Amino acid sequence: MKISVLVVDGVFDSGLSSVLDVLRTANALRGELPEPPPPWQVRCVSPRGPVRTGAGHLVDAVRPGDVAAPDALVVPGVWHKQPTPLTAWVASPEQLPVRRTIQGARAAGVPLAAACTGTFLLAESGVLDGEPATTSWWLAAEFRRRYPQVALDETQMVSRGSDVTTAGAAMAHLDLALCLVRDSSPALADLTARYLVVDARPTQASYSIPGHLARTDPIVSAFERWVRQHLTQPLRIADAARAVGTSERTLQRALDRVAGVSPLRFAQQIRLEQAVHLLRTTDLPTTAVARKVGYENATTLTSLLRKRLGTTPGQVRRQVSDRART
């Protein structure tokens, strides 16, 4: 399989190397399988030839037209961590050749993949319209505002659409590359992950920080403060809306715009964040932790942790214990 990795000046070093190293490792491990998939032939491409990474390293790249059409085009993230400069960059005339390369690949039926801030390049090129997608969790509010036609779910680590795959923040480049390997051989993807010590991470929800998202909107910020001040009490959205000086409908719209979730779901995120903190830093029984974050019993808390974060109270505490031993 021929893989073209589309690189630009400022490409995220570890994101690029993650994609290259996963595919290189998969190639090296193919011989350990009784029926290995074909090898991957990986080339870095760029409309302008060689590029400099965000850390200043030179990456050799050829122009897309100088190589055979790939079986997949991968777009790593770039070194922009704030939404305003990122959106200005992806929409700039300087990136027009990059956007055209992406659009041309889409028109030719080439499967596309991107991670982290690279997902903004796909969205700006219009190839994510109507598709499910994910992105870096802390950039989700800007992504949702700028690209409302994309079905964004930033809780996902990897999202699959029709011949387009997106992955979340920074180290999700590993998950994206393993997804490409898994398309050819699930066994080889699992073997590669074991050699690289990459755990399964189906969701970004456990990494997101509700307070960071809340700061992008005054109504959401006020609601976040109210929820934290009333953690032990039953949640009544009408009371919360009244306390922050707005209507339930306006509160819903603000949260949908910023976080893509309902007020109840956002409050759950805050409560689960606090529950995980208490499980990690105290010896309180799970029932006591549940009550401190507004749930009547441990069963409800355990169910929500499993459903929303893919973990349990016991797993959270075992992780802390394992780190302490090492």
Side-chain angles (χ1 to χ4, degrees):
M1 177 178 286
K2 298 183 293 294
I3 303 287
S4 287
V5 181
L6 182 59
V7 293
V8 296
D9 283 323
V11 64
F12 187 49
D13 292 68
S14 62
L16 173 61
S17 63
S18 293
V19 172
L20 299 179
D21 286 344
V22 166
L23 295 175
R24 185 183 300 120
T25 302
N27 275 337
L29 296 174
R30 288 175 55 254
E32 298 194 20
L33 299 182
E35 297 181 5
W40 286 268
Q41 301 172 16
V42 185
R43 294 295 301 268
C44 288
V45 299
S46 171
R48 296 187 177 89
V51 302
R52 291 280 178 184
T53 69
H57 300 294
L58 182 66
V59 176
D60 188 25
V62 299
R63 289 175 171 81
D66 293 340
V67 295
D71 297 302
L73 179 68
V74 181
V75 185
V78 293
W79 193 253
H80 284 285
K81 297 304 176 188
Q82 298 300 322
T84 300
L86 173 62
T87 53
W89 180 84
V90 297
S92 67
E94 290 77 13
Q95 301 313 315
L96 179 60
V98 176
R99 299 195 298 273
R100 284 179 173 168
T101 298
I102 294 170
Q103 292 163 346
R106 182 64 163 172
V110 175
L112 303 172
C116 195
T117 48
T119 60
F120 278 72
L121 278 169
L122 293 193
E124 191 69 27
S125 301
V127 301
L128 289 182
D129 290 358
E131 297 285 348
T134 188
T135 191
S136 302
W137 64 262
W138 71 88
L139 295 170
E142 178 62 18
F143 190 104
R144 188 173 283 108
R145 182 196 68 79
R146 188 172 180 84
Y147 311 114
Q149 64 275 35
V150 181
L152 182 70
D153 181 0
E154 69 274 18
T155 66
Q156 297 297 309
M157 190 68 73
V158 176
S159 180
R160 309 298 298 268
S162 56
D163 281 336
V164 59
T165 303
T166 51
M171 293 300 104
H173 284 86
L174 289 167
D175 305 83
L176 181 71
L178 285 169
C179 189
L180 297 176
V181 176
R182 188 167 289 107
D183 285 343
S184 294
S185 172
L188 183 55
D190 291 342
L191 183 62
T192 302
R194 290 174 68 88
Y195 267 79
L196 295 176
V197 197
V198 181
D199 295 328
R201 299 175 298 170
T203 177
Q204 291 189 94
S206 60
Y207 300 93
S208 66
I209 304 171
H212 176 92
L213 299 175
R215 287 195 294 272
T216 64
D217 183 278
I219 293 176
V220 177
S221 181
F223 177 65
E224 185 227 2
R225 289 194 301 272
W226 186 90
V227 171
R228 292 189 186 280
Q229 291 166 359
H230 298 80
L231 275 179
T232 63
Q233 301 171 17
L235 178 65
R236 295 184 178 86
I237 302 302
D239 292 345
R242 193 179 305 109
V244 302
T246 191
S247 67
E248 291 184 61
R249 188 168 183 174
T250 300
L251 177 61
Q252 171 65 68
R253 287 176 174 172
L255 278 158
D256 188 58
R257 182 175 62 250
V258 170
V261 297
S262 67
L264 175 61
R265 182 71 174 268
F266 191 74
Q268 284 180 345
Q269 291 174 356
I270 295 171
R271 289 179 168 186
L272 293 179
E273 176 191 70
Q274 180 64 14
V276 169
H277 172 72
L278 291 172
L279 289 167
R280 286 173 173 167
T281 59
T282 74
D283 295 324
L284 288 172
T286 303
T287 298
V289 171
R291 288 173 179 165
K292 281 185 172 293
V293 296
Y295 299 117
E296 292 184 359
N297 53 61
T299 301
T300 301
L301 176 60
T302 299
S303 177
L304 284 169
L305 283 170
R306 184 180 290 112
K307 183 178 181 180
R308 303 298 186 208
L309 305 185
T311 190
T312 65
Q315 288 172 340
V316 172
R317 284 185 157 148
R318 279 194 295 275
Q319 289 168 357
V320 173
S321 178
D322 289 344
R323 284 196 292 267
R325 282 197 297 271
T326 59

